[in-house]
Amino acid sequence: MKPFDYRRAASPDGAIADVAGNPDAAYLAGGTNLVDHMKLGIAAPGLLVDITSLPLDQVDETDDGGVSIGANVRNSDLAAHPIIRSRYPVLSQALLSGASGQLRNLATTGGNLLQRTRCVYFQDATTPCNKRVPGSGCSALEGYARYHAILGASPECIAVHPSDMAVALTALDAAVVVRSASGERSIALADLHRLPDGRPDLDTVLDHGDLITSIRLPGLPWAGRSAYRKVRDRASYAFALVSVAAAVELENDGGAPGEVPVIRQARIALGGVAHKPWRASLAEEALRGAKATHESFRAAADAELEPAATVEDNAFKVPMVRNTMISVLHELTREYS
């Protein structure tokens, strides 16, 4: 590991000044991803600015009925928070499906969003990887690609974003509050992460020195009807092969058993399929105004997967996404069917 300097931030503005003014500096929060990369030789910051003592660790209700989540809130605390569990169960479920209890006790909300891909070639400094060394090539294109993207990929990179939490937040229309030397701005979470295009080395739209201070969830009274489903190789401590986060609002919510409800609107996001959490807007559009039937769910999934592009190792993901999406939608409407 390359020697580095360490500094504990006394304020958000002080942290921003330390990092923005030094291209070799990086923020340190839980460190569950960054420290691993430093050990592997993938990341080598000359200065770590520790932001864990900053007062960004609260979960607060907002005036519009939503929730503001501080960037330093630990994943385990957020998953257990009574407001999150009752109003946004999809988020609690996504958090509890990630990593292990020990890691969730360290990992922060802001850091979770900024974790980098777990592609085996990205994490192996001896192999070509455009995300790690731009222009060096993508080893996954003709290598081990079982976990890799089927949507939004490019010839430059087919890696996927690993976060479970970010998938749920994308489905919930969350926004990220970002602070910089020039002020504060809000970015829709769906717009935070980039597709690879010609620059797979750029994970997000953030500039160097930008500090995530909070995540805001809108007031969604119907988000209580939501769920997260993660398909993986083992029951814990494994990244998603595919995952689905969904919330639905029904026209006749509370109707009689056996009455087929109509879907007023749906929020769906996919994980394990793209370079970023994938908002399933085509599926959402197909479900709007449709009856909650197996046929409608299948048509919505097929609409979203129509542009999917696979390699030999990951072709199984197309039917896996379809079946998982259908299963989650049935779960959310089963009391009426």
Side-chain angles (χ1 to χ4, degrees):
M1 182 183 291
K2 172 187 171 183
F4 59 90
D5 294 326
Y6 170 88
R7 191 174 302 162
R8 183 179 290 272
S11 68
D13 287 341
I16 292 166
D18 286 341
V19 174
N22 182 348
D24 202 29
Y27 294 117
L28 175 68
T32 58
N33 191 211
L34 175 60
V35 173
D36 281 347
H37 286 171
M38 292 172 68
K39 292 176 181 178
L40 292 169
I42 296 169
L47 170 65
L48 290 181
V49 178
D50 188 339
I51 60 172
T52 54
S53 61
L54 298 182
L56 305 172
D57 58 352
Q58 298 297 313
V59 178
D60 299 307
E61 295 186 74
T62 56
D63 293 340
D64 63 354
V67 177
S68 176
I69 303 164
N72 280 345
V73 174
R74 304 291 174 169
N75 284 181
S76 54
D77 293 334
L78 184 60
H81 197 283
I83 292 177
I84 301 301
R85 292 179 62 189
S86 61
R87 298 187 194 174
Y88 308 96
V90 63
L91 177 55
S92 181
Q93 293 168 18
L95 285 160
L96 291 174
S97 74
S100 64
Q102 294 93 330
L103 287 172
R104 291 194 296 270
N105 286 339
L106 279 175
T108 63
T109 304
N112 186 299
L113 293 177
L114 299 180
Q115 63 183 301
R116 308 202 71 190
T117 184
R118 280 1 187 248
C119 173
V120 294
Y121 301 106
F122 173 76
Q123 297 197 114
D124 182 353
T126 68
T127 62
C129 172
N130 286 322
K131 178 174 280 295
R132 183 168 24 82
V133 182
S136 63
C138 176
S139 297
L141 287 173
E142 297 183 359
Y144 179 74
R146 186 166 183 267
Y147 279 84
H148 286 60
I150 61 173
L151 293 167
S154 82
E156 302 293 325
C157 181
I158 58 172
V160 299
H161 192 268
S163 172
D164 295 290
M165 183 192 76
V167 179
L169 290 174
T170 298
L172 291 170
D173 287 331
V176 181
V177 180
V178 178
R179 194 164 173 173
S180 69
S182 59
E184 188 176 88
R185 68 190 191 276
S186 179
I187 304 170
L189 202 139
D191 298 328
L192 175 67
H193 300 95
R194 298 179 68 260
L195 292 178
D197 301 320
R199 290 297 305 274
D201 55 307
L202 300 178
D203 291 335
T204 72
V205 298
L206 299 182
D207 295 323
H208 182 72
D210 283 352
L211 177 66
I212 294 177
T213 57
S214 65
I215 291 87
R216 291 179 181 166
L217 291 172
L220 293 174
W222 48 276
R225 186 182 292 279
S226 63
Y228 185 74
R229 184 74 54 82
K230 179 177 182 178
V231 182
R232 47 187 163 175
D233 284 329
R234 55 182 183 269
S236 66
Y237 202 60
F239 294 103
L241 290 166
V242 303
S243 65
V244 174
V248 296
E249 181 183 20
L250 304 178
E251 291 280 2
N252 48 342
D253 203 349
E259 180 183 358
V260 179
V262 172
I263 296 174
R264 179 175 293 159
Q265 56 182 322
R267 299 286 189 275
I268 303 173
L270 308 177
V273 300
H275 203 250
K276 61 183 290 185
W278 186 267
R279 184 65 180 263
S281 55
L282 297 175
E284 292 176 359
E285 179 61 29
L287 288 169
R288 193 172 296 117
K291 289 189 174 182
T293 64
H294 183 87
E295 292 73 23
S296 295
F297 301 158
R298 172 69 184 247
D302 286 344
E304 194 62 46
L305 291 166
E306 193 278 329
T310 65
V311 294
E312 183 177 357
D313 281 358
N314 68 6
F316 70 92
K317 285 193 175 189
V318 173
M320 184 176 282
V321 170
R322 179 188 299 114
N323 293 338
T324 305
M325 188 186 300
I326 291 171
S327 176
V328 170
L329 291 170
H330 273 299
E331 175 185 339
L332 296 176
T333 59
R334 80 174 74 179
E335 65 196 87
Y336 302 104
S337 56

